Amino acid sequence: PMAPLVAPRSTAFARKMSKSISLTRKVARNHLVPQATWFESKGVVDVSLPLEDCWAMWLRREAIPQWMPWVKSVNIDPDDDQVSKWLLSTEALGQKFEFSWKAKNLPPLKNKMIHWRSIDGSMGGSVIGSVFQVRNRGAVKFRRLSEDSCEITLSISYELPDVLAPLESSLQPLVDGILQTDMERFGKLAVDGELQKFTEMS
């Protein structure tokens, strides 16, 4: 089984996390509307498979937790197959953090880009997620390198409330590293034949 995502436990990071959580709760108690800033993290991998094969694997959203273990589940909305519910689960500072949201598929560019955005009002979870609507969006871009290989770039953007800004210097390198590991895991699983292809956008 894949190891859970665990945030760094340095003293400095712990102090920043504790301070930010305290500010988060203060904002909640006072019903304040937080200011926020968008940040982006990404991971890139070259895969020794035809682009079309990799595209077909990424279309199967329910399979994403196989190579992104910090995403606990992706469930397709039975009433709208362009909407999916995502559950993120991680541990940090001896606490379990969970955050869920609904994402809406945007029109794909076949064999070039799959992208989505969170739906306002659909977000929630423990600590941060129970207070703020942390909007996010993502894209997977495909570039052909040869008939039998391609480059895949995953980028995820998220709107971080300014009260959590002290975490950003530690958080962004952490997320970058996680996404890079996830993409490398995808490449290995894909080449090893462990991932099922999907022929239509679900």
Side-chain angles (χ1 to χ4, degrees), residues 18-31 95 97 126-128 130-132 163:
S18 178
K19 181 178 180 181
S20 296
I21 289 174
S22 295
L23 287 171
T24 297
R25 288 169 173 157
K26 181 178 179 181
V27 167
R29 286 196 303 269
N30 290 281
H31 305 287
Q95 297 186 63
F97 294 85
S126 60
V127 188
I128 295 169
S130 63
V131 178
F132 299 128
V163 295

Side-chain angles (χ1 to χ4, degrees), residues 5-49:
L5 167 63
V6 179
R9 293 177 178 271
S10 69
T11 302
F13 185 86
R15 285 199 300 266
K16 289 178 182 178
M17 176 68 85
S18 178
K19 181 178 180 181
S20 296
I21 289 174
S22 295
L23 287 171
T24 297
R25 288 169 173 157
K26 181 178 179 181
V27 167
R29 286 196 303 269
N30 290 281
H31 305 287
L32 301 175
V33 177
Q35 299 298 310
T37 303
W38 282 92
F39 295 93
E40 182 180 69
S41 291
K42 63 177 56 179
V44 184
V45 68
D46 292 350
V47 182
S48 298
L49 286 175

Side-chain angles (χ1 to χ4, degrees), residues 118-162:
S118 62
I119 299 173
D120 287 346
S122 71
M123 291 149 270
S126 60
V127 188
I128 295 169
S130 63
V131 178
F132 299 128
Q133 296 290 298
V134 183
R135 294 187 293 172
N136 61 86
R137 56 181 179 250
V140 187
K141 297 180 181 179
F142 301 79
R143 185 170 71 90
R144 193 182 307 278
L145 299 178
S146 71
E147 288 186 1
D148 299 314
S149 65
C150 62
E151 177 191 83
I152 308 174
T153 302
L154 168 65
S155 61
I156 294 180
S157 300
Y158 49 94
E159 190 182 44
L160 193 67
D162 287 349

Side-chain angles (χ1 to χ4, degrees), residues 78-146:
D79 298 321
D80 185 349
D81 63 7
Q82 297 303 306
V83 173
S84 51
K85 184 174 182 179
W86 296 59
L87 175 63
L88 180 155
S89 182
T90 183
E91 294 181 5
L93 307 178
Q95 297 186 63
K96 184 174 182 178
F97 294 85
E98 289 195 341
F99 184 72
S100 64
W101 68 94
K102 285 187 177 181
K104 174 78 173 179
N105 277 359
L106 301 176
L109 302 177
K110 188 172 182 179
N111 293 332
K112 293 184 178 180
M113 182 171 68
I114 298 168
H115 54 149
W116 62 90
R117 61 170 177 79
S118 62
I119 299 173
D120 287 346
S122 71
M123 291 149 270
S126 60
V127 188
I128 295 169
S130 63
V131 178
F132 299 128
Q133 296 290 298
V134 183
R135 294 187 293 172
N136 61 86
R137 56 181 179 250
V140 187
K141 297 180 181 179
F142 301 79
R143 185 170 71 90
R144 193 182 307 278
L145 299 178
S146 71

Side-chain angles (χ1 to χ4, degrees), residues 187-198:
K188 184 178 187 308
L189 291 173
V191 170
D192 289 348
E194 297 294 327
L195 301 179
Q196 182 179 353
K197 300 174 188 176
F198 202 66

